[in-house]
Amino acid sequence: MSTNAREALRHLTGALEAHLEAVVARRSAEDAAVDDAFDAVAEAFERYEDALDSAFGESLPLVLDDFDDTDDDSDDDGDDDTEDDELEPIDGHASENEDEMDDEIEEFDLR
């Protein structure tokens, strides 16, 4: 493994460990330390995947969501007539709403 990829892997592992520590020490549901650790894991993951791609032409079987909780409602697509279309996070990092998941379950048929 190239030096850059190995260092990126160490950084990712450290970011994952720091995230776990932040979650364990969480003081509230909106703890900024957990959000910061989450962002650090995402950044370290991308750095590792870039290093793998550069050194070996490889990628990982994981895809990061582009969910950004800093978005405001100013970029609406013009559908002001229903609130059902807006995604409301289930938790601080989720991007699907429960209504969409219920619809998908109802459409699933085991026959």
Side-chain angles (χ1 to χ4, degrees):
M1 185 179 287
S2 79
T3 305
N4 289 340
R6 185 166 302 284
E7 184 58 35
L9 177 60
R10 284 189 191 117
H11 187 75
L12 175 58
T13 303
L16 289 167
E17 298 244 357
H19 180 265
L20 176 59
E21 292 302 318
V23 169
V24 168
R26 177 181 294 194
R27 294 177 300 258
S28 70
E30 299 297 321
D31 193 339
V34 175
D35 290 338
D36 292 344
F38 177 89
D39 293 340
V41 168
E43 182 181 315
F45 173 85
E46 289 176 357
R47 185 183 306 166
Y48 177 57
E49 189 166 46
D50 287 346
L52 279 177
D53 185 41
S54 294
F56 307 105
E58 286 293 327
S59 63
L60 295 170
L62 306 169
V63 177
L64 296 183
D65 284 339
D66 288 333
F67 182 77
D68 185 6
D69 60 358
T70 60
D71 286 347
D72 58 21
D73 293 334
S74 64
D75 62 340
D76 287 344
D77 59 359
D79 292 340
D80 294 331
D81 55 341
T82 62
E83 291 181 355
D84 295 351
D85 294 337
E86 295 179 25
L87 293 179
E88 190 173 303
I90 298 168
D91 66 26
H93 306 297
S95 62
E96 289 191 78
N97 71 21
E98 292 179 22
D99 291 335
E100 285 182 9
M101 290 188 295
D102 289 343
D103 292 344
E104 291 172 6
I105 290 172
E106 290 171 4
E107 294 172 2
F108 187 75
D109 188 10
L110 291 174
R111 289 187 248 160

